[in-house]
């Protein structure tokens, strides 16, 4: 099988690698780029653990070939925190006990960040729709919903200054 | 859980994709969003020698309205359809159906054409195409042809698209003025594959009687199932509960759904009857006779 050299921008940094066409985006992120914050669960698009953002929209990185993302921009959980500290969503997960084992957490965060960024109004139903494609076996989801509402409240207060 | 090896080529234009298809033959597979194909590759249920990536063909990503018909390019993302004001205002049944398609993370990548061409009778878009009598335009070496939804869905995961052809466009006529419309579905968790579902378009005549009702059941047969016996039963009748119940009964009596771990055949049959009645009742509640809509007939 022919290899191709592909370049994917991940968290504002370009990563190039020589890959087979069958290389999944999830494996490119973890093994070629060495960013192991993206977790792989079911590898057939059911669990949502591997969710990343492609050009700002949440996608399953196990349901995309790396070569499909060639030349495009990906954001992973490593891209959420900045020098000032954790992203408000991450901090709220910590404060509201939105995780226990943490395996699913990167996927939840990457699904929720576009929702909390783009939604006109944050609602419990909207949160539950945004995470309908993510499975968590620890929390029972309620503390995750609480965390998102807490983050939204803090971000609103920040904006109001 | 990793795909078997394959070669990959990306087409940037429709003509290029068709040339590649023509030279590659049966061993190739088109890749659009890949949200159905890549799980099959990961499970090695599909082992194509060559993937032709059509996901970046920009000329096939559009939603337009022409002479009352909605035209959707095959590589249009499902999320674009979901956000389209045109669809929300003029094709409410389609707008309802798209909200049931998997999860946001799938709809951001999955294409409308990919879902239709995948021809899964448990999927929402094929059911919407069936009940709205969509016409699919496909192209191949011998030129373009248009296929009605009835002829397009051949059997489970099989459409009328030939090996050297690709789907270009889905054309969906608007429902008749004042027609009631409904799309209902049941799954254990939102976004899972449906255990059952029903879609109804219910036009009325000036006297408020059913005139050309269309009913399609989901997950009921190897194709989206047009319940024609039930449709005929309703023709010329006022859509009252007794009539609608009889129609739902007739629709369910004709199907023999395949049972699995999530629900056996008799359960799915009973569910189909319930959902069909629910869709019919909802469509009847929203249907208005043509002269009541203020539109000239």
């Amino acid at each position: 099988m022919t290899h191709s050299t592909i370049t994917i921008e991940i968290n504002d940094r370009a990563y190039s690698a020589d890959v087979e066409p069958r290389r999944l985006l999830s494996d490119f992120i973890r093994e070629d780029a060495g960013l192991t914050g993206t977790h792989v669960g079911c590898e057939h698009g059911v669990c949502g653990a591997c969710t990343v953002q492609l050009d700002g929209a949440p996608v399953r990185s196990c349901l995309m070939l790396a070569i499909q993302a060639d030349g495009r921009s990906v954001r992973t959980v490593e891209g959420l925190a900045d020098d000032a500290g954790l992203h408000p969503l991450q901090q709220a997960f910590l404060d509201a006990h939105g995780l226990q084992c943490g395996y699913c957490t990167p996927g939840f965060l990457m699904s929720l960040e576009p929702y909390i960024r783009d939604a006109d109004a944050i609602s419990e139903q909207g949160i539950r729709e945004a995470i309908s494609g993510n499975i968590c076996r620890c929390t029972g989801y309620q503390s995750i919903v609480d965390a998102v509402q807490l983050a939204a409240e803090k971000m609103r207060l920040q904006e109001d200054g | 859980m990793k795909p078997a090896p394959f070669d990959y080529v990306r087409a940037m234009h429709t003509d290029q994709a068709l040339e590649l298809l023509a030279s590659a033959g049966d061993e190739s597979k088109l890749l659009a969003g890949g949200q159905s194909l890549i799980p099959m590759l990961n499970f090695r249920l599909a082992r194509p020698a060559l993937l032709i990536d059509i996901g970046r063909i920009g000329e096939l990503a559009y939603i337009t309205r022409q002479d009352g018909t909605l035209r959707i390019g095959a590589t249009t993302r499902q999320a674009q359809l979901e956000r389209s004001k045109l669809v929300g205002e003029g094709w409410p049944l389609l707008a309802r159906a798209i909200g049931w398609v998997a999860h946001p993370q799938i709809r951001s990548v999955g294409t409308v054409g990919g879902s239709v061409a995948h021809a899964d009778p448990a999927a929402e878009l094929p059911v919407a195409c069936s009940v709205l009598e969509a016409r699919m335009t496909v192209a191949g070496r011998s030129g373009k042809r248009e296929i009605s939804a009835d002829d397009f869905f051949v059997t489970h995961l099989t459409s009328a698209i030939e090996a050297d052809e690709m789907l270009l466009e889905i054309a969906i006529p608007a429902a008749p003025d004042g027609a009631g419309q409904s799309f209902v579905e049941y799954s254990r968790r939102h976004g899972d594959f449906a255990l059952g579902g029903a879609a109804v378009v219910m036009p009325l005549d000036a006297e408020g009687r059913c005139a050309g009702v269309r009913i399609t059941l989901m997950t009921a047969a190897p194709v989206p199932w047009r319940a024609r016996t039930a449709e005929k039963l309703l023709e010329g009748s006022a859509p009252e509960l007794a009539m609608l119940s009889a129609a739902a009964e007739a629709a369910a009596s004709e199907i023999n759904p395949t049972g699995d771990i999530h629900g056996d055949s008799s359960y799915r049959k009973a569910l189909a009857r319930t959902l069909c009645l629910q869709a019919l009742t909802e469509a009847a509640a929203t249907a208005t006779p043509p002269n009541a809509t203020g539109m000239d007939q």
Side-chain angles (χ1 to χ4, degrees), chain B residues 241-296:
Chain B
L241 185 59
M243 242 3 259
L244 302 180
S245 296
E249 188 68 48
S253 72
E254 282 187 323
I255 60 166
N256 190 17
T258 312
D260 64 15
I261 189 170
H262 303 294
D264 65 18
S265 185
S266 61
Y267 168 78
R268 285 168 184 265
K269 217 170 153 103
L271 184 63
R273 186 181 61 231
T274 302
L275 293 173
C276 187
L277 179 58
Q278 200 179 320
L280 285 166
T281 310
E282 196 181 278
T286 54
T288 49
N291 53 5
T293 65
M295 301 287 281
D296 291 329

Side-chain angles (χ1 to χ4, degrees), chain A residues 1-140:
Chain A
M1 293 298 122
T2 51
H3 282 58
S4 321
T5 302
I6 62 167
T7 303
I8 301 173
E9 187 187 287
I10 307 176
N11 306 328
D12 298 323
R13 194 190 136 182
Y15 292 87
S16 293
D18 192 34
V19 299
E20 276 189 85
R22 62 171 166 163
R23 188 68 146 175
L24 297 173
L25 178 58
S26 46
D27 291 333
F28 183 94
I29 292 168
R30 288 179 56 83
E31 294 176 28
D32 296 307
L35 296 168
T36 52
T38 299
H39 294 169
V40 171
C42 71
E43 282 198 324
H44 63 283
V46 174
C47 77
C50 70
T51 302
V52 299
Q53 292 166 18
L54 182 73
D55 298 329
V59 303
R60 304 258 202 255
S61 62
C62 79
L63 288 194
M64 178 167 280
L65 304 171
I67 201 166
Q68 281 180 285
D70 185 19
R72 299 180 69 178
S73 171
V74 169
R75 193 177 183 205
T76 67
V77 70
E78 289 92 340
L80 281 184
D82 58 22
D83 294 341
L86 292 177
H87 185 282
L89 195 56
Q90 290 173 303
Q91 188 60 49
F93 264 62
L94 199 61
D95 295 339
H97 308 289
L99 68 147
Q100 284 181 41
C101 85
Y103 198 84
C104 68
T105 311
F108 271 88
L109 293 171
M110 300 321 283
S111 296
L112 282 164
E113 193 272 338
Y115 169 71
I116 209 165
R117 172 172 27 101
D118 299 336
D120 297 328
I122 305 289
S123 66
E124 177 171 348
Q125 200 193 343
I127 296 168
R128 289 188 184 273
E129 164 66 15
I131 59 171
S132 65
N134 294 77
I135 292 175
C136 173
R137 288 296 181 236
C138 297
T139 62

Side-chain angles (χ1 to χ4, degrees), chain B residues 12-291:
Chain B
M12 295 306 286
H13 298 283
T14 308
D15 291 347
Q16 194 192 354
L18 289 173
E19 274 168 33
L20 287 163
L21 263 182
S23 57
D26 292 356
E27 294 298 295
S28 69
K29 194 95 185 134
L30 292 177
L31 170 69
Q35 300 303 286
S36 298
L37 179 57
I38 294 181
M40 291 171 79
L41 295 176
N42 286 357
F43 278 122
R44 304 200 175 192
L45 293 169
R47 303 180 70 135
L50 172 70
L51 283 190
I52 303 170
D53 186 356
I54 59 170
R56 292 198 200 185
I57 300 184
E59 67 208 24
L60 291 181
Y62 58 84
I63 302 172
T64 61
R65 180 174 51 195
Q66 263 174 14
D67 306 325
T69 293
L70 186 72
R71 297 187 176 278
I72 309 168
T75 63
T76 304
R77 305 288 154 182
Q78 291 156 8
Q80 283 173 262
L81 192 67
E82 187 181 10
R83 287 194 293 263
S84 163
K85 267 185 82 175
L86 197 61
V87 174
E89 286 165 7
W91 282 263
L93 190 153
L94 186 59
R96 275 275 288 279
I98 191 75
W100 282 99
V101 177
H103 308 288
Q105 299 93 327
I106 302 285
R107 299 196 291 269
S108 60
V109 182
T111 64
V112 178
S115 174
V116 172
H118 190 55
D120 189 332
E124 291 79 7
L125 293 177
V127 168
C129 285
S130 162
V131 80
L132 293 169
E133 298 190 335
R135 296 183 307 276
M136 273 50 90
T137 302
V138 303
R141 251 181 300 199
S142 45
K144 285 186 193 177
R145 62 190 180 110
E146 204 177 66
I147 311 171
S148 70
D150 271 350
D151 294 332
F152 185 85
F153 300 107
V154 175
T155 185
H156 188 69
L157 304 187
T158 307
S159 77
I161 305 173
E162 298 291 342
D164 64 345
E165 289 181 321
M166 69 181 269
L167 178 61
L168 300 186
E169 184 184 88
I170 298 115
I172 307 184
D177 286 327
Q181 299 184 47
S182 179
F183 183 99
V184 299
E185 150 173 352
Y186 178 74
S187 54
R188 290 286 297 279
R189 292 172 307 175
H190 188 101
D192 282 3
F193 275 108
L195 290 171
V200 169
V201 174
M202 183 184 286
L204 302 178
D205 65 16
E207 278 74 47
R209 294 174 305 216
C210 294
V213 172
R214 292 175 239 153
I215 305 167
T216 298
L217 299 183
M218 191 172 178
T219 326
V223 293
W225 178 256
R226 275 290 291 271
R228 302 210 187 262
T229 308
E231 291 176 2
K232 286 199 190 92
L233 193 67
L234 285 173
E235 195 62 17
S237 304
E240 286 155 4
L241 185 59
M243 242 3 259
L244 302 180
S245 296
E249 188 68 48
S253 72
E254 282 187 323
I255 60 166
N256 190 17
T258 312
D260 64 15
I261 189 170
H262 303 294
D264 65 18
S265 185
S266 61
Y267 168 78
R268 285 168 184 265
K269 217 170 153 103
L271 184 63
R273 186 181 61 231
T274 302
L275 293 173
C276 187
L277 179 58
Q278 200 179 320
L280 285 166
T281 310
E282 196 181 278
T286 54
T288 49
N291 53 5

